[in-house]
Amino acid sequence: MGFFDRFLGKRRDAFMGPADRDWRSLVPQEVNRVPEDDIGRKRAVRSRLPLVLSILFFVALGVVIYLSVDESVPVAAGRSFRYKTDGFLPAAFVQKVISAGVEGPAKNVRAIKADLETDNQVLAADVRRRADGTLEIVLRERVAVAKIASAPPTGPMVVRLVSPDGQTFAGTGYSEQTIRSLPEIQDFRSTGSGDQLAIEGIEVVGPFLLAARTSYERFYLQWASVSLRDCFGAQEDAPGSNLNVTVRTAAQPTDRPPLVGIIFSTANWRKELALLPRIKIEEYLRMPNATAQAYVLKLSIQNRTISPPVPEPRLVPAPLR
Amino acid sequence: MTPKLLPSLIAVIDIGTHKTVSLVGQMINGKARMLGFSERRTDGVVKGTVIDLERLHRCVHEVVNDVERSSGRSIEHVYLSLSGPAAEGERIKGIHAIPAHDGKVTAKDVTDAIASAKRLEPPAGRATLLYMRQPTTIDGRAVANPVGMAGKRLEVHFWRVTMEEGNMRMRVGMVNGMSIKVQDFILASHAAACATASDSDKQGVLVVDMGAGTTDWILYYKEHILCAGSIPVGGEHMTNDLSVALRISRETAEDLKLRFGSAMHREADANQTIWKDGDRGLGDQQFNRGTITQVLSLRYQETFEYVKKDIIQHLEQLFPGHAVKLDQYFLPAGIILTGGSANLADAAEAVHAIMQLPTRIGVPTFENDSLRKPEYAGVVGLMTAAITDSPPPVRRPRGFLASLKDLFRF
């Protein structure tokens, strides 16, 4: 019975006519939520228990989600972690990163992620806390397309790997064989050192090597080095700007003159790479008039006064060294 | 877009003299599907009259608790059965004069006639529990639907069931004390008829629900209720008679009634001697079976003579000046006998002999085999009648939280 009915409606103690004699009018049926006796209490508990359990379930779920999502909560010390990478970094590296730092193993998810991403080899780190308190770490690593010989401020020369975006890194987890198979970038100008090393012309040679590694791996694996001596960096359309690739000769047949180099123009390297599989180099090198000691494949005519270069592959004798 | 409707939950409670039964079901496509069932021996009721409300409350509450557990649902509304002499019926009519300009009955005329019928006061101190529709007439002609028909005088008739107000408050209050609301009352005899009689039977049939404490009857004619009544005599009286006649306890008498009783006395019964326990050892008693069947058949005969007399009295009130005869022309479907006492051997033959009408035992038609017994006709019929006469309000689709609650139900 509503407020207005109670105070302004018909008075229940007065006989209002035959319609009032209907049992519904006589008994308003206002029931208690919980019956008074034992059985009633049991029934009330049984009927409300599902609701209470539902609420508890949601609360527990909320707590689990909060703990999983909140990156500021410290990771439980000594807990194991699940690790996955698309590259070469070993689990020991991750373990070392987790344990390192002032906080040690008590650091939180956000700090672990930041520490992992300070290494140039790591492109992105996804660090999550699982419901059982363990960590789940998924790394995306930078792809190494080349290597450079770097001189640190002190100590001997070291080999560092180069990613297509120009980041250099130590190559933790890479096998010696893999490192050896990468072409070396030579004759480059650089600024900075270590992880901060910036290679001039990487914006051209990086995508070039990535495209070669992805789509023309057969040729890419034969390349020993790429010289940036004639690469003018950002001015890649400049006439005469080229990428001078040195081809490994050790694996080439000895019954013909070796191909020692391939010269790509920086302005036209995509078309030239596409052209490369269609050139019958082996056939040309075995022609009777191929009498030079070694040959270089020039893929375009590069005129220092005319731009752009004109694609016209040709084998020219390699200059004597 | 029409929202998807969900099956309505229907809970019924039949409080009898001998047992209290509750049934919970769902209404799916207009048919009942059982979800839970519970039965207990009634405590606090004698011959259909409540003598100890507290004991009855506990008994009914235990039944409700059991049926909630078996069905896995919480009951919030129930349909209650009405039986025994406490519920009295009477015929009321509302008269409406059809306006003369076209003489056609409109829906409003019917509404006015119904309102005029329901304006009639019930007897002093009594509350109206339900109205059951009887034939509508136009100028004395019975019609199924008067709307659009021509005439001068429209009459609508109802069978009104009333109960002493205090008794009604006690029943509703008892159920409310269990945090359950009464959805509606249903006449027990009408419920029994819904479970056992078909629509074609209702062209003319007498349904007698013979329980432990009361015998409720209802008479249908031309598919409508003509009259209904109850006499405070039932199976327990037979047990009592047997107990007195044989000087044995009521429990022994009940046992003998069920094992050797019959509603008809035959000469051959007098030659049979029966033993109480059967081992013929020390303490075992022997009885003459003829005595048992004679006592039972006499009570059966007396009960149905009361029923016959009650029906005739009602019919004389309904049709004053007409000599109404209970024969096969008036009741082509004869008598349907149901209720716990219908299980007595030769019950149908005995009633046929007394009433001179074809008689059959009414077994409820229901999906569950265990409830296809005459004693459950009342409770099964309550559910059927609830769906037919007073369907529960359609439930709205359950929300996400309610669905989640169901996951944890046990």
Side-chain angles (χ1 to χ4, degrees), chain A residues 152-172:
Chain A
T154 56
M157 294 280 281
V158 290
V159 172
R160 289 181 69 80
L161 307 188
V162 183
S163 68
D165 58 348
Q167 297 290 336
T168 63
F169 49 92
T172 312

Side-chain angles (χ1 to χ4, degrees), chain B residues 61-76:
Chain B
H61 210 169
E62 280 171 352
V63 169
V64 167
N65 187 38
D66 291 348
V67 82
E68 278 189 344
R69 285 177 65 179
S70 67
S71 66
R73 304 295 173 100
S74 283
I75 298 174
E76 290 169 3

Side-chain angles (χ1 to χ4, degrees), chain B residues 360-375:
Chain B
R360 65 180 164 94
I361 302 295
V363 178
T365 47
F366 199 58
E367 54 159 14
N368 195 297
D369 287 343
S370 60
L371 295 184
R372 286 187 198 150
K373 291 176 184 169
E375 59 263 43

Side-chain angles (χ1 to χ4, degrees), chain A residues 12 15 17-58, chain B residues 57-58 61-62 64-65 68-69 74-75 118-122 125-131 165 168-169 172 176-185 390 400-401 404-405 408-410:
Chain A
R12 284 283 149 221
F15 179 64
D20 236 20
R21 304 312 295 170
D22 186 83
W23 71 273
R24 290 177 205 279
S25 309
L26 289 166
V27 187
Q29 294 205 78
E30 287 166 0
V31 298
N32 293 330
R33 284 176 63 82
V34 180
E36 289 168 0
D37 56 354
D38 289 349
I39 304 169
R41 279 191 286 274
K42 270 187 208 169
R43 285 178 53 226
V45 167
R46 193 170 57 236
S47 69
R48 282 154 186 77
L49 200 58
L51 180 65
V52 173
L53 287 176
S54 313
I55 292 168
L56 286 176
F57 171 76
F58 273 119
Chain B
H57 179 277
R58 171 159 279 276
H61 210 169
E62 280 171 352
V64 167
N65 187 38
E68 278 189 344
R69 285 177 65 179
S74 283
I75 298 174
K118 290 186 176 176
R119 264 200 296 274
L120 294 168
E121 274 188 37
R126 298 187 76 83
T128 307
L129 293 183
L130 56 105
Y131 294 93
E165 192 186 321
M168 181 273 296
R169 281 183 187 277
V172 176
N176 287 172
M178 303 167 199
S179 298
I180 297 172
K181 287 185 180 177
V182 177
Q183 181 85 26
D184 215 340
F185 287 96
S390 170
F400 173 70
L401 192 65
L404 195 76
K405 267 173 72 177
F408 294 98
R409 277 197 191 283
F410 52 88

Side-chain angles (χ1 to χ4, degrees), chain A residues 90-144:
Chain A
F93 163 80
V94 178
Q95 181 66 64
K96 192 177 161 190
V97 171
I98 292 172
S99 308
V102 180
E103 307 100 325
K107 67 173 71 167
N108 60 38
V109 167
R110 203 182 295 151
I112 293 170
K113 179 179 163 71
D115 284 358
L116 285 168
E117 287 179 352
T118 51
D119 193 301
N120 274 355
Q121 191 169 340
V122 178
L123 181 64
D126 184 13
V127 184
R128 290 179 189 184
R129 185 186 294 99
R130 292 164 57 82
D132 58 358
T134 58
L135 281 177
E136 183 169 357
I137 298 171
V138 179
L139 294 186
R140 275 173 57 214
E141 291 184 32
R142 286 197 166 85
V143 180

